[in-house]
Amino acid sequence: KSGASGVYKTHANTIRTRTYGDLPTIAHELGHLIGGLQDEYFNGYENTEYIKTHLDYYYDHQYELINISFTSDPEKVPWSRFLKDDTYKHYVGIFEGEEISTPTEGSIMWGHGYTVFNAPSRYAIHKRILGRSRYMLNKYGSGFTEDDYWKEFVEYDVINLRDEDRITPVLK
């Protein structure tokens, strides 16, 4: 019998890194786990085809795919709301890669030394946390909407925007 109390979970999620204390990698992996975010890089493997053929699975398991798109149409990218909001006009655009478009040239979901989540990724994480807490229910009642999530996110996020994260948006 252990002196600790807690919950034993037989299918626990595990994050491993090659190096002890590799916080950017841990944050990247938490982006997948908490935010349902996708990798923004492709290394020649068939990740794009895998995602395309398994979209139903991703949507059923609440992966929002908010940080990647297979189109560069500003009306159809999952982060289109950010493109229409003046708050984010210097932080979010459409950047075309080999097979996908992303909202920024780089983010922690891209890797390669980036250590921050872009705004759409932060929104997905924020929404997932609020959706699993009682905060939204307590504040808005049972009828809270996507607009309520957005309002809560922008109110929080705007005070944390950094000049060094500004971009030159690339829009079609």
Side-chain angles (χ1 to χ4, degrees):
K1 182 176 177 176
S2 170
S5 62
V7 176
Y8 176 72
K9 189 174 179 183
T10 58
H11 300 291
N13 292 302
T14 303
I15 295 174
R16 295 184 180 157
T17 63
R18 289 187 187 137
T19 308
Y20 174 80
D22 184 355
L23 296 181
T25 298
I26 293 169
H28 172 100
E29 297 304 328
L30 285 170
H32 293 303
L33 180 66
I34 297 172
L37 303 174
Q38 293 299 307
D39 290 324
E40 295 175 7
Y41 60 84
F42 291 88
N43 296 336
Y45 62 96
E46 52 282 339
N47 196 21
T48 303
E49 284 307 312
Y50 178 83
I51 292 172
K52 283 181 180 177
T53 58
H54 293 84
L55 282 177
D56 289 338
Y57 171 84
Y58 283 98
Y59 288 123
D60 288 347
H61 289 82
Q62 299 173 349
Y63 285 81
E64 295 194 41
L65 300 178
I66 195 169
N67 65 319
I68 66 168
S69 180
F70 300 109
T71 180
S72 58
D73 182 333
E75 296 297 319
K76 294 181 180 177
V77 293
W79 58 90
S80 62
R81 187 168 195 166
F82 287 88
L83 300 175
K84 297 171 187 167
D85 189 314
D86 285 343
T87 304
Y88 293 98
K89 69 182 176 185
H90 295 293
Y91 296 93
V92 176
I94 299 173
F95 294 85
E96 293 185 59
E98 290 179 37
E99 307 210 22
I100 60 167
S101 296
T102 59
T104 55
E105 277 187 294
S107 80
I108 201 161
M109 297 311 292
W110 174 263
H112 304 291
Y114 291 99
T115 58
V116 297
F117 289 99
N118 57 40
S121 295
R122 292 192 306 272
Y123 176 69
I125 293 167
H126 193 263
K127 181 179 173 186
R128 183 69 71 88
I129 291 169
L130 285 184
R132 291 202 170 15
S133 73
R134 296 197 53 82
Y135 176 82
M136 295 296 282
L137 189 59
N138 291 339
K139 185 168 183 178
Y140 295 100
S142 61
F144 59 87
T145 66
E146 188 70 26
D147 288 338
D148 297 326
Y149 277 121
W150 179 257
K151 177 183 171 193
E152 292 294 325
F153 169 74
V154 172
E155 184 178 309
Y156 168 79
D157 196 57
V158 73
I159 62 173
N160 295 297
L161 293 175
R162 307 175 325 166
D163 284 341
E164 58 265 32
D165 296 329
R166 292 171 69 93
I167 62 168
T168 303
V170 177
L171 299 175
K172 292 279 176 191

